[in-house]
Amino acid sequence: MTTPAVPARSRVPEAVHRRRWAILGVLMLSLLIVVLDNSILNVAIKTISTPAPVGLGATQSELEWAINAYTLVFAGLLFTAGLLGDRLGRKKVLLGGLAVFGIGSALAAESGSSAQLIVFRGVMAVGAAFVMPATLAVLMNVFERDEQPKAIGIWAGGVGLAIAIGPITGGLLLDHFWWGSVFLVNVPIVIIAFALMLWLVPDSRDPDPGRIDPVGVVLSVVGLVLLVYGIIKGGELADFTDPTVVAAMGSGLVVLAAFVVFEKRSDHPSIDVTYFKNKVFSAAMAVITLVFFALMGVTFFSVFYTQSVRGYSPLQSGLLLLPLAAAQLVFAPRARLVVDRFGVRATTTGAMLVLTATLAAFATLDADTPIWLMEIVFFCMGAGMAHVMTPTSVVIMQALPREKAGSASALSNTFRQLGGALGIAVLGSVLSTAYRNDIEGSLGGLPAGLRDTAGESIEATLGVAAKLGDRGLVGPANDAFLHAMHVTALCGAGVSLLGAVVVALFLPRRPKTPQEGAPEEELVGTES
């Protein structure tokens, strides 16, 4: 008597399959708090830069470090977080990451200095590093392959939702409470997400996980921190030939080179460099890096444009970002339909060119430009982002076997965060250097000590002007900032254009049909 073959249609347990959309909702809530933190901080940076008791009196370089402490620790730990999720179970890693993130948020809210804020932002990043890759890895294990593009599109749309909620929530909080409330708000969200995850989300792991690579983790974090420190310091000094700057950047590049060599020779690397032999995979990673490099750098200066030059409140500034968020929320889940019709290469190339145009459009904004024009630019930017992130995320996640979903997600998010960190550092330094060079001629009448302080940023100049009652500095400060913003926007547009070239050359016209020869592993240790 012959036993009938088990249908190969589904590799996801039925109990998990039935609640897959509810699971996706919980994963998006977890994603929400990670993205929410950065979008809230973007609105709050002007307040934090204000002297005590309103803020912490943070300098522009301290603000960059408050942002980059999060992104650098995040990027440095994502490799290890992905491997630990594959080894220990993604649900356990998600729950642990949420707990650490919540504790870090509470500590950041009570920071008494810029240094404390930077440290506690790093603690938050440790938790976030374990949350982000696990959400996408769980998603890949609860959806069948034919539904994965749709699920990833909705997941990417969650980023747009966070971008919308973050600035508005931050603005409302700053209108009624102290600056630390923008971090404290994370705590109740963490509690809700934690409870729902315990109830709904199944656990899964890689049946053949790799060993942890502590040497690789240390080398990657140290190399990135040294490189970005040198870039930020160069912008602060407006001199990239300063010995401190050269030493930091040079040391960072040497350590990163050692990291690459070590990973190639290791039998348990954090990054499996064989993945990058696939040109499509490498191109998708490069595009994600370049997109976030340009976008994060431009977003950094747009807050100072709307609040310092145009005079909008934090809440109003947050509301101005709504078109960017709405476009991502609307188009990200539908981007797969455009890909189905026009192909991956055409869709992403067109979207990258749209992004390039919107970034260049910031070079046309002045102090009296109608604000609705900026709203159109933000909407087009969000639409472009949606049609880049969804197709490239699908390409990356489907390039590796299902059981390696944690590693694929970690790589994707690492390069995204790395691009964002370098974008803030490099374009922030361009902004700082251009501003300092332009404003110096207007600071000649100030004492030497105040002259250095006033030249750091537009907020520093306006602070000195308010202290001395010298309103004659306001006009030159606005003019210098607008010039610096235009230069920075064109640099960001150039980076985005480079991404369009990479897409056009290396991404496939159509996604490849999945190979069915080697079966994917089912969920291991799945809870029903």
Side-chain angles (χ1 to χ4, degrees):
M1 182 175 179
T2 305
T3 303
V6 177
R9 178 187 61 82
S10 175
R11 294 186 176 89
V12 178
E14 181 60 29
V16 174
H17 183 74
R18 283 197 305 268
R19 63 176 191 260
R20 65 196 185 283
W21 297 110
I23 293 170
L24 178 60
V26 178
L27 296 177
M28 288 179 62
L29 184 61
S30 303
L31 174 71
L32 181 72
I33 61 168
V34 175
V35 180
L36 185 78
D37 180 71
N38 268 336
S39 58
I40 279 185
L41 185 60
N42 285 338
V43 174
I45 55 178
K46 180 179 182 296
T47 304
I48 294 172
S49 68
T50 305
V54 175
L56 294 175
T59 65
Q60 182 156 316
S61 62
E62 288 172 336
L63 289 174
E64 290 176 18
W65 273 111
I67 296 172
N68 283 331
Y70 186 87
T71 52
L72 282 177
V73 174
F74 195 179
L77 290 180
L78 275 169
F79 299 131
T80 301
L83 287 173
L84 282 175
D86 291 342
R87 173 187 288 270
L88 302 176
R90 287 136 192 166
K91 179 176 182 176
K92 298 180 184 69
V93 164
L94 264 171
L95 292 171
L98 282 173
V100 172
F101 186 88
I103 293 169
S105 297
L107 292 172
E110 298 299 325
S111 299
S113 67
S114 298
Q116 288 183 8
L117 177 61
I118 291 169
V119 170
F120 294 140
R121 287 273 295 163
V123 173
M124 294 171 66
V126 173
F130 285 87
V131 171
M132 178 70 91
T135 60
L136 201 48
V138 171
L139 181 154
M140 297 299 289
N141 278 275
V142 300
F143 284 91
E144 296 293 344
R145 192 179 182 98
D146 60 342
E147 282 189 322
Q148 286 172 4
K150 181 179 180 181
I152 290 174
I154 295 172
W155 181 89
V159 176
L161 181 63
I163 292 174
I165 293 175
I168 296 170
T169 304
L172 285 169
L173 290 170
L174 291 173
D175 273 0
H176 296 91
F177 305 102
W178 92 115
W179 63 266
S181 61
V182 301
F183 298 110
L184 198 61
V185 73
N186 292 331
V187 176
I189 302 175
V190 165
I191 293 171
I192 294 170
F194 195 96
L196 290 174
M197 197 170 295
L198 280 173
W199 177 33
L200 287 172
V201 175
D203 204 0
S204 63
R205 62 179 66 88
D206 182 355
D208 185 25
R211 287 188 289 153
I212 305 303
D213 176 26
V215 176
V217 171
V218 171
L219 288 175
S220 64
V221 173
V222 171
L224 286 172
V225 168
L226 285 172
L227 177 61
V228 174
Y229 172 78
I231 293 170
I232 293 176
K233 191 67 177 177
E236 183 182 345
L237 299 174
D239 181 9
F240 283 88
T241 63
D242 182 85
T244 303
V245 175
V246 173
M249 293 177 63
S251 300
L253 291 173
V254 169
V255 174
L256 289 175
F259 167 72
V260 172
V261 172
F262 180 83
E263 295 300 288
K264 290 177 70 174
R265 295 179 177 178
S266 175
D267 59 355
H268 58 285
S270 294
I271 302 178
D272 188 342
V273 294
T274 60
Y275 296 159
F276 293 92
K277 292 180 180 179
N278 183 327
K279 291 182 180 179
V280 172
F281 182 85
S282 297
M285 286 294 188
V287 169
I288 283 180
T289 305
L290 293 173
V291 165
F292 273 81
F293 179 99
L295 187 73
M296 291 297 288
V298 171
T299 304
F300 182 75
F301 70 63
S302 69
V303 173
F304 288 100
Y305 170 70
T306 55
Q307 294 187 36
S308 299
V309 176
R310 301 300 297 263
Y312 289 101
S313 69
L315 175 58
Q316 291 170 327
S317 183
L319 290 171
L320 289 174
L321 289 172
L322 268 178
L324 172 67
Q328 284 203 50
L329 191 60
V330 170
F331 290 114
R334 295 168 175 79
R336 63 188 175 85
L337 303 177
V338 182
V339 172
D340 289 343
R341 180 168 182 178
F342 298 104
V344 174
R345 183 185 299 173
T347 301
T348 49
T349 301
M352 288 299 298
L353 292 175
V354 169
L355 274 175
T356 301
T358 57
L359 292 169
F362 274 95
T364 68
L365 300 181
D366 289 314
D368 55 355
T369 300
I371 204 66
W372 60 266
L373 287 176
M374 191 179 76
E375 298 297 87
I376 292 174
V377 170
F378 273 141
F379 183 83
C380 294
M381 183 180 290
M385 280 286 294
H387 288 90
V388 171
M389 295 310 301
T390 300
T392 52
S393 295
V394 172
V395 165
I396 291 167
M397 294 305 296
Q398 293 192 343
L400 301 182
R402 185 199 295 260
E403 65 271 14
K404 299 297 181 184
S407 299
S409 177
L411 278 171
S412 172
N413 286 294
T414 296
F415 278 80
R416 183 182 305 178
Q417 294 300 320
L418 176 60
L422 290 177
I424 292 170
V426 175
L427 295 183
S429 294
V430 171
L431 181 74
S432 179
T433 302
Y435 180 81
R436 183 182 286 272
N437 290 338
D438 206 276
I439 195 66
E440 276 183 347
S442 303
L443 303 177
L446 298 178
L450 279 180
R451 193 182 310 135
D452 290 339
T453 301
E456 287 183 354
S457 67
I458 183 173
E459 278 304 305
T461 307
L462 295 178
V464 169
K467 183 184 293 185
L468 299 179
D470 184 2
R471 304 299 294 175
L473 287 176
V474 174
N478 287 342
D479 291 341
F481 179 82
L482 288 170
H483 169 72
M485 183 180 80
H486 295 163
V487 172
T488 308
L490 292 176
C491 290
V495 171
S496 181
L497 184 60
L498 177 60
V501 173
V502 171
V503 167
L505 290 177
F506 297 109
L507 284 194
R509 289 187 176 88
R510 295 280 173 186
K512 290 184 177 181
T513 304
Q515 298 292 328
E516 299 295 343
E520 297 174 1
E521 294 292 333
E522 291 188 11
L523 285 166
V524 178
T526 301
E527 302 166 3
S528 60

